Protein backbone atom coordinates (compact mmCIF):
# COMPACT_ATOMS: atom_id res chain seq x y z
CA UNK A 1 0.00 0.00 0.00
CA UNK A 2 1.37 3.39 -1.03
CA UNK A 3 0.70 6.05 1.58
CA UNK A 4 2.56 8.85 -0.12
CA UNK A 5 0.44 12.02 -0.63
CA UNK A 6 1.47 12.33 -4.29
CA UNK A 7 1.20 8.62 -5.12
CA UNK A 8 -1.79 9.22 -7.40
CA UNK A 9 0.41 11.40 -9.64
CA UNK A 10 3.08 8.79 -10.33
CA UNK A 11 3.80 7.87 -13.91
CA UNK A 12 2.54 4.38 -14.77
CA UNK A 13 5.15 1.65 -14.64
CA UNK A 14 4.27 0.33 -18.11
CA UNK A 15 5.06 3.76 -19.58
CA UNK A 16 8.39 3.97 -17.75
CA UNK A 17 9.45 0.51 -18.94
CA UNK A 18 8.43 1.40 -22.50
CA UNK A 19 10.70 4.47 -22.34
CA UNK A 20 13.65 2.52 -20.98
CA UNK A 21 16.55 2.00 -23.38
CA UNK A 22 19.53 -0.01 -22.15
CA UNK A 23 21.52 1.09 -25.20
CA UNK A 24 21.14 4.77 -24.25
CA UNK A 25 21.94 3.90 -20.64
CA UNK A 26 25.21 2.18 -21.52
CA UNK A 27 26.10 4.85 -24.07
CA UNK A 28 25.65 7.67 -21.52
CA UNK A 29 27.12 5.81 -18.55
CA UNK A 30 30.68 7.22 -18.86
CA UNK A 31 29.33 10.78 -19.13
CA UNK A 32 26.50 10.39 -16.61
CA UNK A 33 28.15 12.37 -13.83
CA UNK A 34 29.22 15.15 -16.21
CA UNK A 35 25.59 15.47 -17.32
CA UNK A 36 24.47 15.55 -13.67
CA UNK A 37 27.03 18.25 -12.86
CA UNK A 38 25.86 20.31 -15.84
CA UNK A 39 22.26 19.85 -14.69
CA UNK A 40 22.94 20.89 -11.09
CA UNK A 41 25.05 23.91 -12.03
CA UNK A 42 22.66 25.19 -14.70
CA UNK A 43 19.67 24.60 -12.42
CA UNK A 44 21.38 26.53 -9.61
CA UNK A 45 22.31 29.39 -11.95
CA UNK A 46 18.78 29.60 -13.32
CA UNK A 47 17.16 29.47 -9.90
CA UNK A 48 19.52 32.13 -8.52
CA UNK A 49 18.92 34.50 -11.41
CA UNK A 50 15.14 34.06 -11.22
CA UNK A 51 15.20 34.75 -7.49
CA UNK A 52 17.37 37.85 -7.92
CA UNK A 53 15.13 39.20 -10.67
CA UNK A 54 11.94 38.54 -8.69
CA UNK A 55 13.36 40.00 -5.48
CA UNK A 56 14.44 43.07 -7.46
CA UNK A 57 10.90 43.44 -8.81
CA UNK A 58 9.41 43.13 -5.31
CA UNK A 59 11.83 45.54 -3.64
CA UNK A 60 10.62 49.14 -4.12
CA UNK A 61 14.14 50.56 -3.56
CA UNK A 62 15.53 48.43 -6.41
CA UNK A 63 12.95 49.43 -9.04
CA UNK A 64 15.23 51.84 -10.87
CA UNK A 65 18.14 49.39 -10.87
CA UNK A 66 16.25 46.29 -12.01
CA UNK A 67 16.28 47.16 -15.73
CA UNK A 68 20.08 47.07 -16.25
CA UNK A 69 20.39 43.90 -14.18
CA UNK A 70 17.48 42.28 -16.02
CA UNK A 71 18.98 43.17 -19.38
CA UNK A 72 22.26 41.63 -18.27
CA UNK A 73 20.58 38.43 -17.01
CA UNK A 74 18.27 37.62 -19.93
CA UNK A 75 20.67 35.64 -22.10
CA UNK A 76 22.38 33.69 -19.25
CA UNK A 77 18.93 33.01 -17.78
CA UNK A 78 17.68 31.50 -21.03
CA UNK A 79 20.90 29.55 -21.63
CA UNK A 80 20.97 28.10 -18.12
CA UNK A 81 17.30 27.16 -18.41
CA UNK A 82 17.91 25.41 -21.74
CA UNK A 83 20.89 23.49 -20.33
CA UNK A 84 18.89 22.49 -17.23
CA UNK A 85 15.95 21.27 -19.33
CA UNK A 86 18.05 19.34 -21.87
CA UNK A 87 20.25 17.75 -19.22
CA UNK A 88 17.17 16.94 -17.10
CA UNK A 89 15.50 15.16 -20.00
CA UNK A 90 18.71 13.26 -20.74
CA UNK A 91 18.98 12.23 -17.07
CA UNK A 92 15.37 11.06 -17.14
CA UNK A 93 15.93 8.90 -20.23
CA UNK A 94 19.19 7.59 -18.75
CA UNK A 95 17.11 5.49 -16.35
CA UNK A 96 13.38 6.30 -16.70
CA UNK A 97 12.21 3.45 -14.47
CA UNK A 98 14.31 4.56 -11.49
CA UNK A 99 13.82 8.30 -12.00
CA UNK A 100 10.14 8.06 -12.94
CA UNK A 101 9.33 5.84 -9.97
CA UNK A 102 10.37 8.51 -7.50
CA UNK A 103 7.53 10.07 -5.61
CA UNK A 104 8.14 13.74 -6.29
CA UNK A 105 8.84 13.66 -10.04
CA UNK A 106 5.26 14.29 -11.15
CA UNK A 107 4.68 17.22 -8.76
CA UNK A 108 8.02 18.66 -9.91
CA UNK A 109 6.96 18.41 -13.56
CA UNK A 110 3.59 19.97 -12.70
CA UNK A 111 5.29 22.88 -10.90
CA UNK A 112 7.70 23.39 -13.83
CA UNK A 113 4.70 23.55 -16.18
CA UNK A 114 2.89 26.05 -13.94
CA UNK A 115 6.06 28.16 -13.60
CA UNK A 116 6.44 28.24 -17.38
CA UNK A 117 2.79 29.27 -17.79
CA UNK A 118 3.39 32.03 -15.21
CA UNK A 119 6.54 33.14 -17.08
CA UNK A 120 4.58 33.27 -20.33
CA UNK A 121 1.86 35.34 -18.65
CA UNK A 122 4.44 37.64 -17.01
CA UNK A 123 6.48 38.14 -20.16
CA UNK A 124 4.45 41.11 -21.44
CA UNK A 125 2.95 42.32 -18.19
CA UNK A 126 6.06 42.18 -16.00
CA UNK A 127 9.36 41.53 -17.71
CA UNK A 128 9.05 43.60 -20.89
CA UNK A 129 8.06 46.84 -19.07
CA UNK A 130 10.94 46.29 -16.64
CA UNK A 131 13.37 45.67 -19.49
CA UNK A 132 12.28 49.01 -21.00
CA UNK A 133 13.26 50.69 -17.71
CA UNK A 134 9.69 51.34 -16.64
CA UNK A 135 10.05 52.29 -12.99
CA UNK A 136 6.41 51.68 -12.09
CA UNK A 137 5.88 48.15 -10.80
CA UNK A 138 2.20 47.23 -10.92
CA UNK A 139 0.40 44.88 -8.57
CA UNK A 140 0.30 42.36 -11.45
CA UNK A 141 4.08 42.48 -11.64
CA UNK A 142 4.35 41.91 -7.90
CA UNK A 143 1.85 39.05 -8.07
CA UNK A 144 3.74 37.48 -10.98
CA UNK A 145 7.05 37.81 -9.12
CA UNK A 146 5.62 36.24 -5.95
CA UNK A 147 4.09 33.42 -7.95
CA UNK A 148 7.33 32.89 -9.85
CA UNK A 149 9.31 32.69 -6.63
CA UNK A 150 6.81 30.29 -5.07
CA UNK A 151 6.64 27.98 -8.10
CA UNK A 152 10.40 27.81 -8.74
CA UNK A 153 11.03 27.31 -5.02
CA UNK A 154 8.51 24.45 -5.15
CA UNK A 155 10.41 22.95 -8.08
CA UNK A 156 13.63 23.09 -6.09
CA UNK A 157 11.99 21.57 -3.00
CA UNK A 158 10.54 18.73 -5.08
CA UNK A 159 13.97 18.19 -6.64
CA UNK A 160 15.57 17.95 -3.21
CA UNK A 161 12.89 15.60 -1.92
CA UNK A 162 13.16 13.52 -5.07
CA UNK A 163 16.93 13.12 -5.01
CA UNK A 164 17.26 11.05 -1.86
CA UNK A 165 15.24 8.47 -0.04
CA UNK A 166 13.43 8.96 3.21
CA UNK A 167 15.92 9.25 6.08
CA UNK A 168 16.14 6.18 8.27
CA UNK A 169 15.53 6.71 11.94
CA UNK A 170 17.49 4.44 14.18
CA UNK A 171 15.90 4.03 17.60
CA UNK A 172 17.76 2.48 20.48
Amino acid sequence: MITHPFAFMRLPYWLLTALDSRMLHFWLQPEHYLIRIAHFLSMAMFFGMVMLLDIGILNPRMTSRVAPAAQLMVRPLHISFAIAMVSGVILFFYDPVRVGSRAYLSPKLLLITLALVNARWCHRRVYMPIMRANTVVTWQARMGAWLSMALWTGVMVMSCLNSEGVPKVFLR
Side-chain angles (χ1 to χ4, degrees):
M1 181 172 145
I2 298 174
T3 59
H4 191 274
F6 297 115
F8 69 96
M9 293 178 73
R10 284 192 175 171
L11 297 173
Y13 188 74
W14 61 266
L15 175 66
L16 297 174
T17 54
L19 295 172
D20 196 6
S21 168
R22 292 291 98 189
M23 189 174 94
L24 180 66
H25 182 85
F26 289 120
W27 183 64
L28 288 176
Q29 198 168 21
E31 288 83 18
H32 176 255
Y33 286 102
L34 294 175
I35 297 168
R36 286 183 68 187
I37 289 169
H39 183 67
F40 291 148
L41 290 176
S42 61
M43 186 176 58
M45 281 179 52
F46 174 75
F47 183 68
M49 285 187 279
V50 165
M51 290 298 125
L52 283 175
L53 184 61
D54 289 337
I55 288 171
I57 291 169
L58 292 172
N59 189 346
R61 294 182 300 144
M62 295 298 295
T63 307
S64 62
R65 291 179 260 177
V66 171
Q71 292 168 359
L72 180 67
M73 284 193 288
V74 169
R75 180 156 289 143
L77 184 75
H78 290 158
I79 291 171
S80 63
F81 177 74
I83 293 170
M85 286 289 117
V86 169
S87 60
V89 169
I90 290 171
L91 288 172
F92 173 78
F93 282 111
Y94 175 75
D95 194 358
V97 174
R98 186 173 59 91
V99 174
S101 296
R102 292 180 179 162
Y104 294 98
L105 178 70
S106 296
K108 175 184 169 181
L109 295 176
L110 177 65
L111 287 172
I112 289 172
T113 304
L114 292 174
L116 290 175
V117 167
N118 180 56
R120 178 76 175 135
W121 178 80
C122 287
H123 182 69
R124 287 190 179 200
R125 289 182 173 82
V126 179
Y127 304 127
M128 291 310 289
I130 288 171
M131 297 287 281
R132 292 187 200 114
N134 184 359
T135 58
V136 177
V137 178
T138 64
W139 69 271
Q140 292 174 332
R142 292 186 193 284
M143 173 92 89
W146 276 113
L147 193 55
S148 173
M149 287 176 57
L151 290 171
W152 288 116
T153 300
V155 169
M156 293 301 287
V157 167
M158 293 299 155
S159 296
C160 292
L161 292 173
N162 210 24
S163 64
E164 295 189 21
V166 176
K168 292 176 178 54
V169 178
F170 297 106
L171 301 174
R172 294 181 185 232

